[in-house]
Amino acid sequence: MAKPLIQLALDSLDFDQTIGLATQAAPYVDIFEVGTPCVKHNGVNIVKELKARFPDKLVLVDLKTMDAGEYEATPFYAAGADICTVLGVSGLATIAGVVKAANAHGAEAQVDLINVPDKVECARESARAGAHIIGVHTGLDAQAAGHTPFSDLNDIARLGLNLRISVAGGIKQATVQDVVHAGANIVVCGAAIYGAPSPAEAAREIRELVEAA
Ligand SMILES: O=C([C@H](O)CO)[C@H](O)[C@H](O)COP(=O)(O)O
């Protein structure tokens, strides 16, 4: 299996700080995630700026769309997004709308399983709806309550669905290799990189661990 891609979650609200962090970590990551707080604050302009500065990187926009999937996602794909996220709890019509917008731009749609009660069924339905990536995700609030994405990852990986698996939720140096071994195709790291004394050094460590897994 190909080595998983490493995705850096850019969760700052500040435009320049976001670009600065991306610049530091760029040599070690494959995907820049414009995090939900960041995209709500900065809109399509931050997507355009990242694509202009880093044309060889993929850009995921973490829209977490809940309704009006095609309408909401289309301007972000038009701005250069390679992947947009849609919530699994939104329902199949909204997921199908984001998939349609993605396909119209030669891009991808990722369904986020955050707070989905039946994650296995949602993953199956998302695959049938043509989603490209399923996101196993323990959000920041759930992490604060002690939750992790690891058991959900095992449940989704064993389904063998025809979509790639992205995993997010407090992944750090100590856990990244377990996530790789469990079958993740995309490993998302936010705080482990942006919260480190040296984000570049933290990103480099994570790259080395993923390569060695
Ligand atoms: O998606 C995220 C969260 O819901 C805030 O928007 C984070 O970017 C994601 O959880 C990755 O960050 P870490 O959990 O800090 O690795």
Side-chain angles (χ1 to χ4, degrees):
M1 198 177 98
K3 289 290 179 195
L5 300 179
I6 299 172
Q7 177 173 316
L8 167 61
L10 298 162
D11 279 331
S12 170
L13 298 182
D14 187 86
F15 193 100
D16 294 337
Q17 203 173 31
T18 299
I19 299 299
L21 180 61
T23 305
Q24 291 178 63
Y28 311 109
V29 305
D30 306 292
I31 306 174
F32 288 131
E33 170 191 333
V34 182
T36 314
C38 184
V39 72
K40 286 189 176 181
H41 203 70
N42 296 289
V44 291
N45 288 341
I46 190 92
V47 179
K48 290 179 181 168
E49 186 72 17
L50 285 167
K51 283 308 282 188
R53 287 183 185 241
F54 306 100
D56 59 329
K57 302 292 177 195
L58 298 173
V59 171
L60 176 144
V61 184
D62 195 12
L63 291 175
K64 293 191 177 79
T65 293
M66 185 61 182
D67 191 17
E70 183 181 4
Y71 187 57
E72 182 167 290
T74 291
F76 289 91
Y77 287 122
D82 299 286
I83 307 163
C84 288
T85 66
V86 53
L87 291 174
V89 292
S90 69
L92 280 177
T94 304
I95 291 169
V98 178
V99 169
K100 186 176 174 195
N103 289 337
H105 290 83
E108 295 187 303
Q110 174 171 320
V111 176
D112 188 329
L113 293 177
I114 190 170
N115 294 342
V116 169
D118 187 342
K119 294 178 173 52
V120 164
E121 185 52 24
C122 182
R124 286 200 175 108
E125 286 182 336
S126 299
R128 281 195 288 270
H132 309 83
I133 304 168
I134 194 83
V136 177
H137 184 191
T138 301
L140 298 177
D141 294 338
Q143 287 179 48
H147 299 286
T148 69
F150 306 121
S151 127
D152 291 336
L153 169 60
N154 289 328
D155 291 346
I156 299 301
R158 71 168 66 97
L159 298 175
L161 296 171
N162 185 28
L163 33 61
R164 290 183 292 145
I165 301 174
S166 167
V167 186
I171 298 169
K172 53 191 177 210
Q173 287 86 334
T175 51
V176 71
Q177 291 192 324
D178 292 340
V179 169
V180 174
H181 294 145
N185 306 106
I186 300 171
V187 178
V188 184
C189 291
I193 295 176
Y194 64 69
S198 166
E201 178 59 16
R204 191 188 60 75
E205 285 170 6
I206 285 165
R207 167 61 69 191
E208 280 185 7
L209 288 163
V210 167
E211 294 300 324

